[in-house]
Amino acid sequence: MTHIINLQVENIGGAESIQLSPKGKSVTIGGPNRAGKTSAIRGLIAALGGKELLPSDPVRHGAEGGRVVVELPEFIVRLDVEPDRSTRLRVETLDGARFTSPQKMLDKLFGNLSFDPGAFRAMDSRKQKEILMELTKFDFSDLEQQEKAAEADRAYKKKRAAELEAVGKSLPN
C-alpha cells in the first residue's frame, strides 16, 4: 500500500503554504478554522484524482498560481494550478524519469480511492451506495434481494392495513 511521505500545498484554497510529513498508518489532520485542513485535503485529492476534483475557485486569492507536490515512496506527483483552473500535472520517478500519461497512471493506482468526501456526503443514498459498491468491489446481490423482498413486504402490509382500515370503518360503532 502506498503512503504519503510528504505533502506540500501552496496557494490552494485559502491556504498560503502547508507541509505535512505523515508518520504511521493513520493520520489525523486537526486545527482551528481556516488553518488549511480542507485546502490540504482538496489539493491532495486533485493531485491524485484529477483536475475535475479541483474546487471551482482553486487558487488562493491574490496568488498567481497554486501547487501541490505529493511525495510517495515510488514517485513524486506535481500539480500546478492556475486561477482559471488550468493545470499541469507531472509524475516522476525518484530518479527523474517522467510518465508520459501521468493521469492515466494515477487513475490506475488511485482512481477508485480518490473522491470528494463533501460531494459524496451531499449525494442521495442510492448514488452513495453505487460508489461504495464500486470502491469496495463487494458483491451486494444478496443484500439487494433482501432489500427488494423487504420493499415488497412493506407494500403488501401497507395495502393490507388500508383494506383492514376500510373494513373497520364499515363496521357499526
Side-chain angles (χ1 to χ4, degrees), residues 52-110:
E52 65 275 358
L53 298 175
L54 277 172
S56 60
D57 190 15
V59 176
R60 184 176 63 85
H61 292 178
E64 292 183 16
R67 170 179 272 188
V68 180
V69 179
V70 185
E71 184 181 344
L72 302 164
E74 307 85 8
F75 48 87
I76 297 172
V77 178
R78 288 182 174 83
L79 177 68
D80 293 313
V81 183
E82 300 298 323
D84 66 358
R85 293 187 85 238
S86 61
T87 61
R88 180 174 175 228
L89 177 66
R90 291 174 294 164
V91 179
E92 301 174 352
T93 62
L94 298 181
D95 62 2
R98 289 189 179 176
F99 288 87
T100 56
S101 299
Q103 193 59 60
K104 285 182 182 178
M105 189 277 287
L106 291 173
D107 288 346
K108 286 180 183 176
L109 289 175
F110 302 110

Side-chain angles (χ1 to χ4, degrees), residues 1-2 45 49 107 109-116 135-136:
M1 182 92 180
T2 294
I45 288 170
D107 288 346
L109 289 175
F110 302 110
N112 287 341
L113 299 177
S114 58
F115 65 93
D116 182 346
L135 289 173
T136 61

Side-chain angles (χ1 to χ4, degrees), residues 3-147:
H3 62 280
I4 297 169
I5 294 171
N6 191 39
L7 171 65
Q8 296 173 10
V9 178
E10 298 172 7
N11 297 321
I12 298 293
E16 186 174 346
S17 181
I18 300 166
Q19 181 163 342
L20 302 171
S21 297
K23 304 292 182 226
K25 293 182 180 181
S26 176
V27 176
T28 301
I29 299 175
N33 289 343
R34 304 191 57 79
K37 302 177 298 289
T38 301
S39 296
I41 292 169
R42 286 186 174 161
L44 175 63
I45 288 170
L48 299 180
K51 174 184 176 176
E52 65 275 358
L53 298 175
L54 277 172
S56 60
D57 190 15
V59 176
R60 184 176 63 85
H61 292 178
E64 292 183 16
R67 170 179 272 188
V68 180
V69 179
V70 185
E71 184 181 344
L72 302 164
E74 307 85 8
F75 48 87
I76 297 172
V77 178
R78 288 182 174 83
L79 177 68
D80 293 313
V81 183
E82 300 298 323
D84 66 358
R85 293 187 85 238
S86 61
T87 61
R88 180 174 175 228
L89 177 66
R90 291 174 294 164
V91 179
E92 301 174 352
T93 62
L94 298 181
D95 62 2
R98 289 189 179 176
F99 288 87
T100 56
S101 299
Q103 193 59 60
K104 285 182 182 178
M105 189 277 287
L106 291 173
D107 288 346
K108 286 180 183 176
L109 289 175
F110 302 110
N112 287 341
L113 299 177
S114 58
F115 65 93
D116 182 346
F120 179 80
R121 186 179 65 231
M123 291 175 187
D124 67 63
S125 61
R126 289 183 194 265
K127 183 66 177 169
Q128 288 176 338
K129 179 181 169 185
E130 287 174 20
I131 289 173
L132 289 174
M133 289 171 61
E134 175 64 26
L135 289 173
T136 61
K137 304 292 187 208
F138 289 135
D139 180 7
F140 287 93
S141 55
D142 287 345
L143 291 176
E144 289 172 353
Q145 289 175 356
Q146 290 175 12
E147 185 178 5

